[in-house]
Amino acid sequence: MNSRREAQMAGWASSELLRNLETGIHVGSWRDPEGARTLAVTSPVTGEEIATVADAGEADALAALDVATAAMADWSATSPIRRADILMAAHARILEIADELAVIICAETGKVLAEAKGEVAYGAQYLRWYAEEAVRLGGRITKAPDGNSDIVVESRPVGPCLLITPWNFPFAMVARKVAPALAAGNTVIIKPSELTPLASYVLVQVLLEVGVPAGVVSLLTTTRPAEISGPLLSDARLRKVSFTGSTGVGRVLHELASAHFAKTSLELGGDAPFVVFDDADVDRAVEGIMLAKFRNSGQTCVAANRIYLQRGIADAVLAQLTEKVGALTVADGFADGADVGAVIDSRAQAKCSEVVETAVAAGGKVLARSAVPDTGCFVPATLVAGVPLESPLRDLEIFGPVAIVSVFDDEKEVVAAANDTSYGLASYVFTADLDRANRVARSIDAGMVGINTGLISNVAAPFGGIKASGVGREGAAEGIEEYLILRYVNVVPGR
């Protein structure tokens, strides 16, 4: 263990942010009535156990739904300004503990500490944003066409919600779901990834401390996700599921939710094309690629999955990329100078190795490969160029620090290649021609497009995709609508 890791982890055992780990957070404390099962959280850097948390089962899930249902009436009747005040207090508290929370995120994910701090800041914005949105829930009153009655349309909370979050951004993803759900007046059950549950514990602890009533927020950590989600989605009392994760799991959840017509938001896989035209600014394009590809060790759903360079600019871009990728420091996220941290586990390591092998077999050439530590779940930052447009890797989400580059000749060709995927989450276009930027942005089948930028996530923007990348949106005004339903009342004046 390096000295910086030792210093950062020194206060781990006494951290006030990690209470109730082995009992879960619910109405007071609870345990699986069949036995106090627990699961170990391990570091992808050292392989060591860093915490033990409750391993919930079906009985716990149904108990959580019981209290969420019981608490729903009072919480939905709580004034919007009170809900806003609670979320704003949670935002302030998260900022107070930001450094300590970032250490927890770094420890459980293996990401670079600076990126963990960025995640905390980003996730906290959702608490503030939806605190402000809580008092702006819409509705309208209009006169009926015949003039004999008033049409009243109001927004109402959808009901108890199941929020299933991934391991790659364990704080930001849960904040992005919890904040609008609570702002809208819903109760929630959070099911984080068993690989990275600790940040969720911190957020729930904070919400309870700042005034969220018992039963409004429950947390279920488990190694048995099907045992949790199946019974919950089979229960008509659950009215909403929001899931971020793989397309395969999303399909299953969508089917289960349809049994009782529960509302769904599904943010699923991505296969983002990153297109650089001849007239683009080379330095800016390289900066965008580095950010979109290697942020969070390439483990983002909006990562640049397929990089397309127009032939006239390809050599200049590749020259810079080769130098920059080769110079990246892949290391323990706590280490000084770390640029790229660990991937989440050995399966992710193996997948990245297979991607490189497949790319080379298809005709690609490795132009850069960084050094990695001898132990831990690390993948070399890798640049492979010369891969055909019709690569066997198309329609595969890499989810690691491996950049695959292809060269194209014209706009029509690259748009066809960009759309040759079942996914449709994010895309990126670099060009100095505004007409081309708008034309290509409208031609690429994706829910989000970045023009001359490699970073598109923003609390004020609706995040989500089309096709196999899911349904629904998170963030912005649209994000809270996912947790609301409409009711219409026809009012005839008394006579």
Side-chain angles (χ1 to χ4, degrees):
M1 183 179 292
N2 68 56
S3 59
R4 192 162 186 235
R5 169 175 282 272
E6 289 175 345
Q8 294 286 357
M9 298 286 287
W12 185 273
S14 61
S15 173
E16 284 298 305
L17 301 184
L18 294 174
R19 299 196 294 274
N20 302 324
L21 287 182
E22 295 185 25
T23 55
I25 301 176
H26 197 266
V27 178
S29 297
W30 55 270
R31 288 179 181 269
D32 185 331
E34 299 177 358
R37 291 182 55 159
T38 59
L39 67 93
V41 182
T42 59
S43 165
V45 173
T46 66
E48 298 173 346
E49 180 179 309
I50 58 176
T52 303
V53 303
D55 187 1
E58 179 179 351
D60 299 312
L62 294 177
L65 184 55
D66 287 343
V67 297
T69 303
M72 184 66 205
D74 286 346
W75 180 245
S76 62
T78 300
S79 69
I81 193 65
R82 173 59 182 157
R83 298 198 297 265
D85 287 345
I86 288 174
L87 287 172
M88 195 63 81
H91 169 262
R93 178 61 178 148
I94 289 296
L95 295 185
E96 288 177 1
I97 62 172
D99 287 347
E100 191 174 355
L101 177 53
V103 169
I104 291 169
I105 294 170
C106 183
E108 64 178 340
T109 63
K111 68 176 62 181
V112 174
L113 183 58
E115 291 185 339
K117 291 180 179 180
E119 179 183 345
V120 174
Y122 173 63
Q125 290 181 47
Y126 286 97
L127 298 170
R128 177 175 178 173
W129 179 271
Y130 286 109
E132 296 168 342
E133 289 293 297
V135 295
R136 301 190 183 109
L137 300 183
R140 71 178 187 273
I141 300 176
T142 56
K143 185 69 68 177
D146 62 10
N148 294 325
S149 65
D150 293 328
I151 295 172
V152 180
V153 180
E154 62 179 0
S155 298
R156 298 176 61 82
V158 64
C161 304
L162 174 62
L163 312 178
I164 305 175
T165 58
W167 50 261
N168 56 337
F169 292 97
F171 173 72
M173 294 301 95
V174 68
R176 192 160 75 180
K177 297 178 189 298
V178 167
L182 295 183
N186 300 291
T187 56
V188 301
I189 301 167
I190 303 166
K191 206 297 287 180
S193 168
E194 68 272 22
L195 300 176
T196 59
L198 303 181
S200 294
Y201 270 92
V202 174
L203 178 56
V204 173
Q205 195 75 59
V206 165
L207 289 170
L208 295 177
E209 289 174 359
V210 300
V212 172
V216 172
V217 178
S218 296
L219 181 65
L220 296 171
T221 51
T222 184
T223 57
R224 300 165 281 172
E227 191 174 321
I228 292 291
S229 58
L232 288 176
L233 288 166
S234 297
D235 195 311
R237 295 177 297 171
L238 188 79
R239 300 312 307 148
K240 162 82 180 183
V241 58
S242 177
F243 169 75
T244 298
S246 72
T247 298
V249 174
R251 286 193 179 99
V252 173
L253 293 174
H254 189 63
E255 183 176 352
L256 290 171
S258 68
H260 295 290
F261 302 99
K263 199 170 184 179
T264 59
S265 298
L266 306 172
E267 196 266 281
L268 308 177
D271 187 21
F274 193 111
V275 181
V276 183
F277 287 96
D278 282 346
D279 60 354
D281 181 298
V282 172
D283 293 343
R284 194 172 177 183
V286 170
E287 179 184 356
I289 291 170
M290 296 298 293
L291 180 60
K293 176 71 263 184
F294 296 102
R295 182 172 66 96
N296 204 47
S297 303
Q299 299 173 123
T300 77
C301 56
V302 294
N305 211 52
R306 298 167 292 148
I307 301 168
Y308 299 124
L309 307 179
Q310 197 163 20
R311 195 170 301 278
I313 204 172
D315 288 345
V317 173
L318 284 172
Q320 285 200 31
L321 282 178
T322 300
E323 180 180 352
K324 289 182 177 295
V325 173
L328 288 172
T329 298
V330 179
D332 183 346
F334 286 119
D336 290 322
D339 298 311
V340 177
V343 294
I344 193 62
D345 57 22
S346 58
R347 291 175 298 176
Q349 277 183 303
K351 180 181 179 182
C352 288
S353 295
E354 292 173 6
V355 165
V356 174
E357 291 172 2
T358 302
V360 171
K365 180 180 179 181
V366 176
L367 299 185
R369 177 180 283 152
S370 68
V372 295
D374 293 333
T375 59
C377 295
F378 293 100
V379 170
T382 306
L383 174 65
V384 185
V387 178
L389 286 177
E390 295 187 356
S391 162
L393 292 170
R394 68 186 187 277
D395 218 34
L396 172 70
E397 189 173 30
I398 297 172
F399 235 64
V402 177
I404 304 296
V405 179
S406 302
V407 174
F408 71 95
D409 290 302
D410 60 61
E411 181 182 313
K412 184 177 180 180
E413 175 188 37
V414 77
V415 168
N419 289 337
D420 188 18
T421 176
S422 62
Y423 297 103
L425 187 59
S427 58
Y428 306 88
V429 178
F430 273 67
T431 178
D433 184 333
L434 182 59
D435 287 341
R436 172 187 276 164
N438 286 324
R439 186 170 61 246
V440 174
R442 285 165 173 74
S443 299
I444 292 179
D445 296 331
M448 300 177 287
V449 183
I451 303 295
N452 295 324
T453 180
L455 183 64
I456 57 175
S457 298
N458 192 296
V459 67
F463 189 102
I466 60 176
K467 302 194 293 186
S469 289
V471 295
R473 293 295 183 268
E474 294 186 312
E478 290 82 0
I480 200 167
E481 294 173 4
E482 299 288 338
Y483 296 91
L484 295 167
I485 54 175
L486 295 179
R487 183 169 71 172
Y488 148 61
V489 179
N490 189 13
V491 181
V492 178
R495 292 181 174 83

